[in-house]
Amino acid sequence: MTSLRLLAGMIVSLSLWAGPAMAQKPLEQFVCTGTFSSGSGMAGSSIEKNGTAICLFAADTDAEAQVQNTCGQSAVCEVTAMTRMDGDARIVEKTLSVRRVSGPLPAGPARKVDNGQLPIDSVSCPTLDFKAFAEQFSSKISLQAKFTHWPLKTTTIDAAAAPEPKSVTKQLTEQDMSYPVMMEIGRAKREGKVVRIEQDGEATAYVEYSGANSGEKIRYLFVRSGSCWQLVAIDNKSL
C-alpha cells in the first residue's frame, strides 16, 4: 500500500508541474470511510477498506494534516472531502469534515496547516448537540472566529441580472467578511423571523432564517469537522 500512496504523491506533483496543460477531472464530494493508514515522507496517507485504498492523501498537504490530527494510525475514520479521480485512484484535494469513528487517537502534537492555525480539533468545542451549538455560535463572535471554515462559500441572488435573477457564488476570506457572520438566534426571533435549526445528517446541519411576511431567506450550512461543528457556507436566497 505504501507504493500506491507514493504513486498518489507523484500524480499530484506531476499535475502541479503540468499546470493548465493537463486537464483534470472536476472535483466531487465523497465520503471516505475506513481504516486510516498514515504514511511517511513522500508516501502520503490513505483511507483503506478490506486492504484496498478508498481515498489517497498526497504527502505534506493540508488534507493529510487535518486527518492525521484527528485519526491515529489504524483508526476507523469518516472523511467527507472534495476528491478527483486519477485513473483508479481517488485523490483527496480538500477535507470538509473529519470524524474518528473508533480506534487510536493521533500520537504526538498536532500539525499546523498552511494558515498557521491549529486545526479545529485543537480548540475546545462548546457542545456536540447541534441546536445548543448553533445558539452559542450565533451569540459569540469568539466561537464564530474559531468555528468558521475559510474561505467561506457564500451564495446570493443578483436580482438585477438580466433576463432574470441569478445565483452568484463566491469564496470569501475572513478579511472579506465582518463579524458577526451570523445574526444571534434570539435576536432573529425577536425581529419576527422564522428560525429553523435542523440536523439533516450525522455530519451536516443548518440554521435558516426566513421572513414571516417577506422574501428573506438565509441558510447557514454546517458540517461536523472532526470533534466539532463548523460553518462552511451561507446560502442567501433573499430577494
Side-chain angles (χ1 to χ4, degrees), residues 46-218:
S46 63
I47 296 287
E48 303 172 8
K49 190 172 184 179
N50 298 325
T52 301
I54 304 299
C55 296
L56 298 171
F57 302 83
D60 298 324
T61 59
D62 285 353
E64 183 190 46
Q66 288 163 357
V67 180
Q68 288 175 332
N69 285 326
T70 302
C71 302
Q73 181 73 3
S74 299
V76 177
C77 284
E78 180 184 87
V79 180
T80 303
M82 299 305 296
T83 68
R84 63 179 174 83
M85 296 301 297
D86 200 306
D88 293 331
R90 183 177 294 277
I91 311 298
V92 174
E93 294 286 352
K94 180 180 180 181
T95 57
L96 301 178
S97 68
V98 182
R99 183 172 71 92
R100 184 177 62 85
V101 178
S102 64
L105 290 166
R111 249 173 91 186
K112 291 189 177 183
V113 294
D114 270 353
N115 59 12
Q117 298 176 344
L118 291 174
I120 194 167
D121 306 272
S122 304
V123 295
S124 177
C125 184
T127 177
L128 290 177
D129 177 81
F130 180 70
K131 182 177 181 181
F133 173 86
E135 290 173 345
Q136 293 191 49
F137 179 90
S138 72
S139 64
K140 297 180 180 179
I141 288 178
S142 61
L143 291 181
Q144 293 182 21
K146 286 182 179 180
F147 295 104
T148 297
H149 178 273
W150 303 104
L152 180 66
K153 179 181 177 181
T154 64
T155 302
T156 56
I157 301 297
D158 181 0
E164 59 185 17
K166 67 177 183 178
S167 296
V168 178
T169 299
K170 298 180 180 179
Q171 297 284 346
L172 300 181
T173 67
E174 190 171 8
Q175 289 70 36
D176 296 324
M177 299 284 288
S178 59
Y179 290 102
V181 296
M182 176 181 175
M183 179 186 291
E184 194 258 324
I185 289 174
R187 177 184 170 186
K189 291 178 178 179
R190 290 192 298 273
E191 292 183 359
K193 304 181 192 300
V194 178
V195 177
R196 292 182 62 194
I197 303 175
E198 300 286 345
Q199 185 173 341
D200 51 8
E202 187 174 343
T204 57
Y206 66 87
V207 176
E208 183 179 275
Y209 297 155
S210 57
N213 300 301
S214 70
E216 180 183 11
K217 186 176 182 180
I218 304 175

